[in-house]
Amino acid sequence: QVHLVESGGGLVQAGGSLRLSCAASGDIFSGTPMGWFRQAPGKEREFVARISSSSITTYYEDSVKGRFTISRDNAKNLVYLQMNSLKPEDTAVYYCAAGGWSSFPRDYTSWGQGTQVTVSS
């Protein structure tokens, strides 16, 4: 398993930006696809974005396409989620995940503790 720690969340006004980071332990990181998910109060955890081990392939949930960008730095064991043009409906706890390659949380085996993102209107 990969140990994951997210950071970078906070409170931002609608239209603003945040960059989330996820630090991963372990020397297998460079060969591991990574994903970002989010969970709003009272809702199920949902897929946001994922990136292949080589960064060649990325996928996004429809509502964040064109606003969010996932990237990674394998030399530093980091994966990022750049979030622009934030909307109040983006408010959620954001989680970094490893061990899967799908849009379903059940397919991922390693999770971070989450970081809160709050977008005010």
Side-chain angles (χ1 to χ4, degrees), residues 4-61:
L4 305 171
V5 179
E6 303 96 334
S7 61
L11 173 63
V12 63
Q13 290 188 333
S17 298
L18 282 174
R19 188 177 81 157
L20 306 183
S21 298
C22 174
S25 66
D27 56 9
I28 64 172
F29 175 79
S30 62
T32 303
M34 299 293 295
W36 284 98
F37 290 77
R38 65 186 179 186
Q39 188 166 16
K43 295 187 177 181
E44 294 187 352
R45 193 166 298 189
E46 67 173 4
F47 168 73
V48 175
R50 65 182 190 264
I51 187 167
S52 63
S53 59
S54 62
S55 301
I56 291 176
T57 305
T58 57
Y59 289 100
Y60 296 91
E61 193 270 328

Side-chain angles (χ1 to χ4, degrees), residues 25 72 90 100 105 119:
S25 66
R72 65 191 294 160
D90 294 318
V119 184

